[in-house]
Amino acid sequence: MTMFPPQASRLSAAELEQELDQVAAACDGCRRCGLGHSRTQVVVSRGNPQASLMVIGEGPGAQEDEQGKPFVGRSGQLLDRMLESVGIDSNRDAYVCNIVKCRPPENRKPTALEMAACRPWLDQQIQLVDPPVILLAGATAVEGLLGIKGGITKLRGQWRQWEGRWLMPILHPSYLLRNASKERGSPKWLTWHDLQDVQRRLAQLNAPL
């Protein structure tokens, strides 16, 4: 299995952990939108904050709300398996988070106001983790970070540069659960190839000079 070296950081591992703990505490106390009043617990992140890859999804579902970690339900388990198939361990080689940190009722899409209210926390996470590669899982992640609405089938698989980072939009794993075929050209097949591109990019960035 591929192992990617940790990111060089201006902060030590202990300092980075302390800064991210402060972000998590601030998220826990946040009531900038109504989601903070209806959630069970805040869902901030999981994985390795020193990793070269950040994965950003939409928002917590029921299991994430219960466990306090992103991408732990069925769609998250599928994402983990697909990342593992290209040599990426989601807890060792990635830092995983969401556009919003609290579960929208009935797992609905977060509103523009909710995404805007939560954006400062995401910006802090990106600044602290400083990932060279970001994987955007689904249309809401693309909209929340880049302000681009819809069209994930056209955006997926296309590298974008943003603030000195490489961004790769992919189909959301929940969509892949509803489209289970692995035939050539299927959503799952396309996503697997997108993840292979991500793996190659990470390998290039981490290759010794």
Side-chain angles (χ1 to χ4, degrees):
M1 180 177 288
T2 307
M3 291 189 68
F4 299 104
Q7 271 283 94
S9 174
R10 59 183 175 80
L11 300 175
S12 68
E15 290 170 333
L16 179 58
E17 182 177 1
Q18 183 178 28
E19 292 281 350
L20 288 169
D21 284 347
Q22 291 176 4
V23 173
C27 288
D28 187 49
C30 178
R31 296 298 184 271
R32 291 178 178 172
C33 74
L35 297 183
H37 299 283
S38 60
R39 55 143 163 108
T40 301
Q41 57 182 321
V42 72
V43 179
V44 180
S45 68
R46 68 174 172 91
N48 179 8
Q50 292 183 294
S52 298
L53 174 67
M54 176 180 279
V55 179
I56 303 177
E58 176 177 307
Q63 287 179 269
E64 289 78 13
D65 184 53
E66 181 180 333
Q67 296 185 37
K69 295 180 180 181
F71 277 108
V72 294
R74 288 183 64 222
S75 63
Q77 292 164 19
L78 174 59
L79 178 64
D80 283 356
R81 292 194 300 271
M82 295 190 73
L83 286 170
E84 187 176 8
S85 75
V86 298
I88 299 172
D89 183 300
S90 68
N91 286 310
R92 181 193 65 210
D93 302 320
Y95 177 88
V96 184
C97 60
N98 282 311
I99 292 293
V100 297
K101 314 306 182 192
C102 301
R103 181 194 180 195
E106 307 300 323
N107 291 354
R108 63 163 172 76
K109 176 184 172 181
T111 67
L113 287 175
E114 289 163 352
M115 288 191 280
C118 218
R119 180 61 186 263
W121 310 130
L122 178 64
D123 286 342
Q124 287 187 46
Q125 288 176 302
I126 294 172
Q127 181 181 11
L128 288 167
V129 176
D130 195 21
V133 180
I134 297 178
L135 188 65
L136 296 173
T140 302
V142 174
E143 180 181 346
L145 188 66
L146 302 177
I148 301 172
K149 296 184 179 181
I152 188 65
T153 54
K154 293 182 179 179
L155 295 172
R156 57 133 294 273
Q158 305 296 318
W159 284 109
R160 287 175 169 267
Q161 285 195 288
W162 175 80
E163 296 192 356
R165 311 179 199 284
W166 289 100
L167 272 56
M168 171 65 83
I170 63 168
L171 299 170
H172 197 280
S174 62
Y175 177 77
L176 302 181
L177 286 172
R178 301 191 297 271
N179 296 270
S181 171
K182 296 180 182 179
E183 293 297 316
R184 182 180 182 87
S186 68
K188 189 170 283 188
W189 184 89
L190 292 170
T191 302
W192 184 65
H193 281 269
D194 294 343
L195 294 178
Q196 286 183 310
D197 273 352
V198 171
Q199 192 275 345
R200 283 191 289 268
R201 178 74 64 182
L202 289 167
Q204 290 170 359
L205 292 170
N206 289 301
L209 298 176

